[in-house]
């Protein structure tokens, strides 16, 4: 009989949820139970160190030892194993050598950031085995959200009527200093009450090398046992099978040989350590709950410069060390053991606070697929971030398994994705703003991307060619400053914002209309020629000027107001006069003889600035009726449910808009999920709920089908732009916050329900009932001078600092803070 199998595309792991800390490095857990993309050793491509060379699924894995009364023991590898090298058995297959060992038959994975729940299934196994893998993620608490830590909580329940002996075992390869040939392994056993651990390090290392450091594998129970220093499957697996519980063994010295040529001690190629907990489940329903933690400490993170790149500027190989930046976590902890001890002592709080945010976010009346799509983007805050001891923070623009794409804190991409940092971790947002300010040029020109180096910018990144960047710098900087409510920092940021605005009108206004003038390809759409007034650029410019005017009013800068208020008014009029075509805003204003119809493009992002401005309570930048017409045109011309929301289409396009043969990448007919999700937020804010949800559903289903749910693609993967999804919760509520007034003003009345409210470093819930509402701050602090919410009956305010006076006016309930 022939072998007949069926396979679904979702069965092939392509991406997984990340474990680790913000800027601390990460690895991902996939639906086959294996771990992939190890990036915790300062290694390429996230960091500039040497590539990690070893089998990813055998770097860390879990094994279950099982013996039912009156039966022989067996080992179950908690993975759907690959054909070769599973369980660190290289060169042979355990199916041949160890018939008493097997992988699992099936795994059901339920992943919702930052939790991955795996249920392992094995025919004939009289146990229910489940794992929750997680790392702390606590908005408003960057310190604990950046821990170099992954937690693994197992639950094993007996389904047998006979007693069952079990051991749950964690195995970790010692890869400290893996690229240093003179190293020797140095493992250390710790038994201190319920803190039981193995520390995996190395000696004879370069103290300044990027891979110098250590790992700590902790097992939180005093009865844990460990076997350190095994390498070959003989005799390790035989002893593991026959001896219950796992005996205490240290054979680390046996993994360090002697170089015959030099006589020096030198590490063998492989060294593993196993630690675990044994128990007897005496009756059906009895359970073993046990937790492990993996921590790491590789403090020598070096900044990098782009030294080798291809023609598009993509870094193609590790580019060597620059100056030492160090990890932010090394400011708190001197070792991996210290991190593990902290994790053990604080585990209950870390889990409770992580769970509280996750529960609050999903305790919402938004559709599940919308919440899932927003939630999935938080993964990028682990996969693609630098957070250094020198105070540098940024999200890498793009990251693939073989290379980084661009640098961190790319300004034009941050215009979309930085909202996630601004809301969840404002202290990190401030770090990004400050490094942009540090690298601003004397003439006011701003940096495009920080080359993972806090000491000096890459010359190619400070050219200022992209015309949208000064406005983006101004808007993001002033948004962060006003949201901080820190007058001293607002005062510090303000002169830099004014210099950027002055630079544009002094050096980038070719026709004197007091607007930035596009002259070809020179913005975030770096394959789109635009000429004259381009709504994508000018709407962001007007948003920046509007926010600057609001800042000037608060600071009492009358000179600025006198000059820039007329410019703002004239700029709004010019945008509409030169680009409004009766249905939407043209791609740009100045007709080009070579292609007169090119200006008629309908860009999805044509009013991006209007959406950004409204989230700060600023007035509309264009006539709301025209904006509504433009939104309708965008959905009619650009949205294809089977593909998604395209970036730009032209009248008459049926299938695909023609692309010039010399175009290096098609940016018109493609769908950038970061653009789609931010536009969905604009649709929500405009009350176009059904259209917003159609766009989000398209993105969500597309990436589920790709099998890349945790890894959105654009210029590389794990792309920064889709973090724009974090604008959606506020848009649904019609929320605006300018550092003084918090306003919930949905265009369409909300139904009875609950919605998560995100504020910088804080979160809560808006409850709307049949006869009243409640705005409740659940975590963090926020002290608005004024709060406005819908008048839905009796409204209660909970958790906000200070005393508020309440009144009703014009269909609104208004709370004013007492002086």
């Amino acid at each position: 009989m022939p072998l007949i199998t069926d396979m679904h595309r979702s069965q092939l792991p392509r991406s997984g949820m990340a474990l680790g800390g913000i800027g601390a490095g990460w690895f991902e857990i996939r639906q086959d139970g294996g771990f992939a993309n190890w990036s915790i050793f300062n290694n390429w491509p996230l960091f500039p160190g040497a590539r990690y060379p070893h089998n990813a699924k055998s770097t860390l894995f879990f094994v279950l030892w099982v013996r039912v009364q009156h039966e022989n023991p067996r080992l179950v590898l908690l993975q759907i194993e690959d054909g070769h090298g599973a369980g660190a058995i290289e060169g042979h297959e355990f199916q041949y050598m160890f018939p008493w060992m097997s992988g699992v038959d099936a795994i059901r994975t339920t992943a919702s950031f930052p939790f991955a729940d795996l249920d392992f299934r094995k025919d004939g196994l009289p146990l229910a085995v489940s794992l929750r893998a997680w790392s702390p993620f606590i908005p408003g608490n960057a310190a604990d959200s950046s821990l170099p830590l992954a937690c693994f909580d197992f639950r094993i329940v007996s389904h047998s009527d006979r007693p069952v002996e079990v051991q749950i075992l964690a195995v970790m390869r010692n890869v400290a200093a893996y690229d240093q040939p003179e190293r020797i392994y140095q493992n250390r056993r710790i038994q201190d009450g319920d803190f039981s651990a193995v520390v995996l390090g190395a000696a004879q290392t370069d103290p300044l090398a990027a891979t110098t450091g250590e790992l700590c594998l902790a097992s939180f129970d005093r009865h844990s046992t460990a076997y350190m220093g095994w390498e070959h499957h003989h005799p390790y697996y035989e002893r593991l099978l026959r001896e219950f519980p796992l005996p205490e063994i240290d054979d680390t010295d046996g993994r360090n040989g002697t170089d015959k040529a030099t006589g020096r001690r030198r590490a063998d190629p492989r060294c593993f350590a196993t630690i675990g907990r044994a128990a007897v489940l005496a009756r059906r329903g009895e359970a073993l709950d046990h937790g492990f933690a993996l921590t790491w400490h590789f403090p020598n993170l070096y900044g990098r410069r782009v030294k080798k790149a291809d023609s598009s500027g993509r870094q193609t190989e590790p580019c060597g060390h620059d100056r030492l930046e160090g990890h932010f976590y090394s400011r708190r902890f001197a070792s991996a053991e210290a991190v593990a001890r902290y994790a053990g002592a604080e585990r209950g709080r870390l889990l409770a606070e992580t769970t509280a945010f996750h529960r609050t976010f999903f305790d919402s009346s938004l559709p599940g697929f919308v919440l899932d799509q927003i939630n999935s983007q938080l993964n990028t805050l682990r996969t693609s971030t630098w957070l250094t001891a020198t105070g540098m923070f940024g999200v890498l623009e793009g990251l693939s398994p073989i290379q980084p794409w661009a640098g961190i804190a790319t300004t034009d991409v941050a215009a979309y994705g930085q909202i996630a940092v601004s809301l969840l971790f404002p202290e990190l947002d401030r770090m990004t703003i400050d490094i942009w300010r540090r690298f601003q040029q004397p003439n006011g020109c701003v940096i495009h991307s920080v080359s993972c180096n806090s000491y000096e910018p890459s010359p190619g990144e400070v050219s200022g060619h992209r015309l949208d960047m000064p406005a983006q710098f101004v808007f993001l900087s002033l948004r962060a400053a006003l949201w901080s409510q820190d007058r001293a920092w607002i005062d510090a940021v303000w002169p830099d914002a004014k210099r950027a605005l002055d630079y544009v009108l002094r050096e980038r206004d070719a026709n004197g209309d007091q607007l930035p003038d596009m002259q070809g390809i020179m913005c975030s759409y770096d394959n789109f020629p635009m000429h004259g007034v381009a709504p994508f650029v000018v709407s962001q410019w007007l948003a920046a000027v509007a926010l600057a005017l609001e800042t000037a009013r608060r600071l009492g800068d009358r000179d600025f107001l006198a000059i820039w208020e007329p410019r703002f008014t004239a700029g709004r009029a010019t945008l509409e006069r030169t680009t409004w075509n009766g249905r939407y805003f043209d791609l740009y204003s100045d007709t080009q003889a070579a292609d007169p119809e090119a200006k008629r493009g309908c860009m999805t992002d044509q009013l991006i600035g209007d959406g950004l401005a409204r989230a700060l309570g600023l007035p509309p930048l264009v006539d709301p009726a025209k904006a509504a017409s433009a939104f309708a045109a965008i959905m009619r011309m650009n949205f294809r449910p089977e593909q998604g929301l395209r970036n730009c289409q032209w009248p008459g396009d049926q299938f695909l808009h023609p692309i010039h043969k010399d175009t290096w990448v098609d940016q018109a007919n493609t769908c950038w999920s970061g653009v789609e999700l931010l536009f969905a937020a604009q649709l929500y804010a405009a009350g176009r709920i059904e259209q917003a949800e159609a766009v989000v559903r398209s993105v969500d289903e597309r990436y589920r089908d790709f099998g890349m749910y945790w890894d959105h693609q654009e210029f590389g993967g794990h792309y920064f732009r889709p973090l724009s999804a974090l604008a959606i919760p506020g848009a649904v509520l019609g929320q605006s916050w300018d550092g003084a007034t918090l306003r919930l003003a949905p265009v369409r009345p909300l139904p009875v329900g609950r919605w998560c409210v995100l504020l910088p470093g804080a979160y809560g819930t808006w409850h709307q009932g049949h006869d009243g509402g409640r705005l409740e701050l659940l975590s963090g602090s926020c002290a608005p001078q004024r709060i406005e919410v819908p008048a839905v009956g009796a409204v209660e305010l909970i958790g906000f600092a200070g005393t508020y006076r309440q009144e009703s006016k014009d269909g609104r309930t208004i709370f004013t803070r007492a002086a």
Side-chain angles (χ1 to χ4, degrees):
M1 180 178 179
L3 176 64
I4 301 173
T5 62
D6 294 312
M7 183 174 181
H8 190 273
R9 63 180 294 118
S10 66
Q11 292 174 297
L12 182 64
R14 297 182 182 88
S15 71
M17 194 197 77
L19 299 168
I22 295 173
W26 63 285
F27 56 99
E28 67 185 22
I29 184 168
R30 292 189 167 180
Q31 70 257 34
D32 61 359
F35 300 100
N37 290 324
W38 288 89
S39 302
I40 67 175
F41 315 111
N42 298 323
N43 54 299
W44 188 264
L46 175 58
F47 301 125
R51 286 183 173 89
Y52 182 65
H54 301 306
N55 183 327
K57 290 180 71 171
S58 287
T59 297
L60 170 69
F61 58 95
F62 296 95
V63 175
L64 182 66
W65 187 102
V66 184
R67 180 166 61 196
V68 180
Q69 188 181 49
H70 307 311
E71 296 181 10
N72 291 322
R74 52 178 159 158
L75 299 176
V76 180
L77 178 66
L78 297 181
Q79 293 178 356
I80 296 176
E81 73 280 9
D82 294 334
H84 301 278
I89 302 172
E90 296 180 1
H92 299 279
E93 307 310 322
F94 66 70
Q95 297 91 336
Y96 159 66
M97 301 187 68
F98 304 135
W100 29 262
M101 182 176 178
S102 67
V104 296
D105 297 323
I107 303 173
R108 167 160 286 184
T109 301
T110 305
S112 181
F113 187 90
F115 299 108
D117 295 319
L118 283 69
D119 293 321
F120 303 94
R121 302 169 188 175
K122 176 68 179 172
D123 288 347
L125 185 68
L127 301 168
V129 183
S130 61
L131 163 66
R132 165 160 281 194
W134 62 282
S135 297
F137 189 85
I138 306 166
N141 184 346
D144 283 341
S145 299
S146 60
L147 293 172
L149 164 68
C151 300
F152 305 95
D153 297 338
F154 282 92
R155 183 171 178 81
I156 303 168
V157 182
S158 174
H159 289 174
S160 175
D161 294 324
R162 289 178 284 164
V164 183
E165 295 172 312
V166 299
Q167 287 187 98
I168 183 66
L169 302 158
V171 183
M172 184 74 204
R173 183 170 187 161
N174 185 336
V175 294
Y178 59 80
D179 64 335
Q180 301 181 50
E182 298 300 319
R183 78 190 187 286
I184 59 172
Y185 297 115
Q186 195 171 71
N187 297 329
R188 181 163 51 90
R189 182 77 170 96
I190 302 170
Q191 293 172 289
D192 184 7
D194 283 334
F195 182 75
S196 184
V198 292
V199 176
L200 297 89
Q204 294 181 189
T205 60
D206 177 356
L208 300 179
T211 57
T212 295
E214 65 180 21
L215 304 119
C216 183
L217 186 59
S219 177
F220 295 118
D221 188 275
R222 66 185 60 241
H223 301 296
S224 301
T225 54
Y227 187 146
M228 299 190 301
W230 67 270
E231 184 274 330
H232 198 270
H233 41 272
H234 299 297
Y236 166 73
Y237 273 115
E238 285 87 350
R239 295 197 65 174
L240 179 60
L241 181 72
R242 292 183 172 93
E243 300 182 43
F244 178 83
L246 175 74
E248 284 283 350
I249 298 173
D250 184 1
D251 193 22
T252 303
D253 195 54
R255 305 285 73 77
N256 295 314
T258 301
D259 188 311
K260 293 180 180 180
T262 65
R264 286 175 57 84
R265 298 278 282 168
R266 182 178 290 184
D268 291 342
R270 306 196 323 156
C271 179
F272 292 86
T274 301
I275 190 169
R277 162 85 189 282
V280 177
L281 305 180
R283 61 189 63 84
R284 179 184 290 271
E286 190 168 343
L288 169 65
D289 293 300
H290 185 68
F292 296 99
L294 174 66
T295 62
W296 53 94
H297 193 269
F298 291 86
N300 298 330
L301 173 61
Y302 289 86
R304 66 178 177 221
R305 298 176 186 169
V306 180
K307 294 185 178 180
K308 291 189 178 182
D310 64 16
S311 59
S312 69
R314 293 171 294 185
Q315 298 168 58
T316 56
E317 59 180 77
C319 53
H321 295 163
D322 194 0
R323 299 186 186 182
L324 182 66
E325 298 282 351
H327 277 287
F328 181 80
Y329 65 68
S330 65
R331 290 163 52 172
R332 298 182 68 196
F333 302 102
S335 66
E337 177 190 346
V339 180
R341 286 186 179 275
Y342 180 81
E346 299 292 329
R347 181 188 178 283
R349 178 186 61 80
L350 295 172
L351 179 58
E353 293 180 4
T354 298
T355 302
F357 173 67
H358 184 269
R359 182 177 58 244
T360 299
F361 181 80
F362 279 96
D363 186 20
S364 168
S365 298
L366 274 173
F369 69 88
V370 176
L371 295 169
D372 287 338
Q373 182 52 221
I374 300 168
N375 167 267
S376 71
Q377 299 305 331
L378 299 178
N379 200 60
T380 304
L381 291 177
R382 285 200 182 139
T383 62
S384 306
T385 45
W386 280 55
L387 177 57
T388 69
T390 56
M392 178 176 68
F393 173 79
V395 183
L396 196 66
E397 183 176 335
L399 179 70
S400 76
I402 60 171
Q403 69 181 65
W405 299 65
I408 60 171
T410 302
T411 308
D412 55 306
V413 183
Y416 300 77
Q418 193 73 9
I419 184 63
V421 182
S422 304
L423 288 171
L424 301 178
F425 301 103
E427 65 184 277
L428 303 184
D429 189 29
R430 185 166 177 162
M431 289 183 184
T432 298
I433 302 303
D434 282 343
I435 198 164
W436 283 339
R437 293 172 56 221
R438 183 186 310 171
F439 292 151
Q440 186 179 18
Q441 300 301 290
N443 68 346
C445 176
V446 301
I447 193 169
H448 170 240
S449 186
V450 178
S451 300
C452 305
N453 183 321
S454 69
Y455 296 94
E456 58 182 327
S458 171
E461 298 293 346
V462 294
S463 68
H465 178 68
R466 298 188 185 220
L467 191 56
D468 47 345
M469 294 192 312
Q472 292 155 347
F473 166 78
V474 171
F475 186 88
L476 296 175
S477 298
L478 294 181
R479 181 178 71 185
L482 293 185
W483 280 3
S484 75
Q485 300 180 296
D486 180 345
R487 177 57 188 260
W489 195 50
I490 298 171
D491 286 339
V493 169
W494 180 231
D496 299 327
K498 290 194 292 184
R499 280 197 299 134
L501 294 174
D502 289 339
Y503 156 77
V504 172
L505 295 194
R506 185 180 64 250
E507 301 185 27
R508 308 302 294 276
D509 178 13
N511 61 7
D513 65 355
Q514 298 188 333
L515 290 175
D517 291 321
M518 288 290 288
Q519 296 176 309
I521 296 173
M522 53 171 60
C523 72
S524 188
Y525 287 88
D526 50 9
N527 203 19
F528 264 55
M530 305 179 200
H531 302 271
V533 176
F536 170 70
V537 173
V538 170
S539 70
Q540 293 185 80
W541 169 259
L542 292 174
V545 175
L547 186 53
L549 290 170
E550 176 61 26
T551 305
R553 293 184 192 102
R554 296 193 193 181
L555 298 179
D557 191 336
R558 295 180 180 177
D559 292 341
F560 183 88
L561 292 170
I563 295 171
W564 284 89
E565 281 181 337
R567 290 175 175 175
F568 176 68
T569 301
R572 293 171 67 186
T574 300
L575 172 62
E576 294 198 17
R577 176 175 51 80
T578 59
T579 63
W580 175 248
N581 65 23
R583 293 180 298 156
Y584 59 88
F585 293 86
D586 284 339
L587 182 61
Y588 55 85
S589 63
D590 293 359
T591 303
Q592 301 298 296
D595 188 356
E597 294 304 311
K599 64 180 286 184
R600 299 299 182 194
C602 179
M603 178 177 266
T604 295
D605 263 342
Q606 61 190 261
L607 293 179
I608 179 176
D610 193 58
L612 296 173
R614 285 172 178 259
L616 276 89
L618 300 171
L621 303 181
V622 298
D623 179 349
K626 291 184 173 70
S629 176
F631 291 156
I634 291 166
M635 290 299 294
R636 183 174 60 253
M637 296 175 63
N638 298 7
F639 184 58
R640 307 287 194 275
E642 72 283 359
Q643 181 193 0
L645 183 65
R646 297 176 180 176
N647 285 338
C648 191
Q649 296 288 272
W650 280 256
D653 286 344
Q654 296 298 319
F655 175 50
L656 294 175
H657 184 73
I659 298 299
H660 192 276
K661 64 180 180 63
D662 294 330
T663 298
W664 65 273
V665 65
D666 180 356
Q667 293 182 345
N669 296 306
T670 52
C671 306
W672 291 354
S673 56
V675 171
E676 294 173 282
L677 294 169
L678 188 60
F679 184 68
Q682 284 189 271
L683 292 173
Y684 268 122
R688 307 173 80 95
I689 296 171
E690 295 78 13
Q691 290 180 330
E693 290 174 358
V695 172
V696 178
R697 185 185 294 277
S698 173
V699 174
D700 193 71
E701 291 181 351
R702 185 167 79 239
Y703 272 89
R704 288 180 190 268
D705 186 56
F706 289 165
M708 302 289 283
Y709 200 68
W710 305 101
D711 186 5
H712 281 225
Q713 303 291 306
E714 192 184 311
F715 189 61
H718 297 291
Y719 202 67
F720 183 13
R721 200 185 310 265
L723 278 165
S724 62
L726 271 292
I728 290 176
V732 171
L733 293 167
Q735 177 182 323
S736 63
W737 165 239
D738 62 4
T741 298
L742 172 62
R743 181 179 294 111
L744 304 184
V747 171
R748 282 168 57 175
L750 296 171
V752 171
R754 297 179 301 278
W755 288 268
C756 180
V757 177
L758 299 177
L759 294 165
Y763 65 86
T765 303
W766 168 249
H767 303 258
Q768 188 158 312
H770 292 286
D771 55 2
R774 183 172 77 252
L775 181 60
E776 184 173 7
L777 194 66
L778 297 171
S779 178
S781 62
C782 185
Q785 298 172 18
R786 181 183 175 96
I787 300 173
E788 298 182 14
V789 298
V792 292
V795 178
E796 189 176 9
L797 199 64
I798 299 175
F800 288 85
T803 302
Y804 286 84
R805 175 174 55 84
Q806 182 177 349
E807 62 178 321
S808 295
K809 184 178 180 181
D810 300 328
R812 314 281 299 154
T813 299
I814 300 171
F815 296 89
T816 304
R817 191 168 185 228

